[in-house]
Amino acid sequence: NYDTDLLELAGYEVGGVFTESQFTFQEDTGAAPYKFLATLDTLDTTYAKDVFITLQFKVKDKAADKDTTVSLEMLEVVNKDSQVNVEKGTAMALAVDNTAPQVEGIKDGGTYSGDTTVTVKEAHLTSVTVNGKEVQLTDGKFVLYPADGKQTVVLTDACGHTTTLTVTVKPAPTPDEIVDNIISAISPASGDGGSQWLVAVLALSLLG
């Protein structure tokens, strides 16, 4: 069985257990579940441990992003007197992913102050590097710490899509620097010392 919205059956190859002439295939390869029948003259000494059949799927051109599976729904043995053990196959997980990893908390070319938390939006992420060094995520997040110069973040998913962002993270300002910035921003240009003292007191009150 397979998701016909995402996949199309492109073909098949017969493996080592049965020959091509011993197969009857469903004519409509676009319908799911896809059914086929393999026959032998006798099943007494046959154990299908070798390659049985290889189905070849193609992702449709307009397939949306989605996680899905290709699964073997049923194996049936017919015209046999005694029980024959047939092992079901395991569902194979796969995903259609046309989208590069997305992030929240930073933007390419941005400048940030202090430890900056970055949230990654990618279900099939394989790696995140900062200046070439791999970082580990916790609950889908990691932290960019202040550093000299720019930092390049590269995110890669299982399909090979990459997202690259270059940012600057500066140290967070000290309380004294915050006061100086406030005074510079709102103090009168006349240089009135009393007004500047009042501004400083107000700034310290805000910090307190």
Side-chain angles (χ1 to χ4, degrees), residues 4 31 54-55 58 68 70 112 130 140 197:
T4 56
T54 301
L55 300 178
K58 177 183 177 183
T68 186
V70 174
Y112 304 92
V130 178
W197 174 254

Side-chain angles (χ1 to χ4, degrees), residues 11 35 38 156 182:
K35 297 178 180 179
T156 306
I182 294 174

Side-chain angles (χ1 to χ4, degrees), residues 101-123:
Q102 305 294 311
V103 299
E104 294 178 355
I106 59 172
K107 292 183 178 180
D108 188 36
T111 299
Y112 304 92
S113 178
D115 297 354
T116 302
T117 299
V118 183
T119 301
V120 179
K121 301 291 185 180
E122 173 57 58

Side-chain angles (χ1 to χ4, degrees), residues 1 3 15 31 34 92 94 115-116 124 140 151 186 192:
N1 201 3
D3 191 335
Y34 179 69
M92 181 186 69
L94 59 90
D115 297 354
T116 302
H124 312 110
Q151 300 187 60
I186 64 176
D192 185 342

Side-chain angles (χ1 to χ4, degrees), residues 76-99:
E76 187 176 9
V77 176
V78 296
N79 296 328
K80 181 69 179 130
D81 297 334
S82 59
Q83 180 179 357
V84 176
N85 293 325
V86 179
E87 295 182 4
K88 281 192 174 183
T90 302
M92 181 186 69
L94 59 90
V96 175
D97 186 349
N98 298 302
T99 308

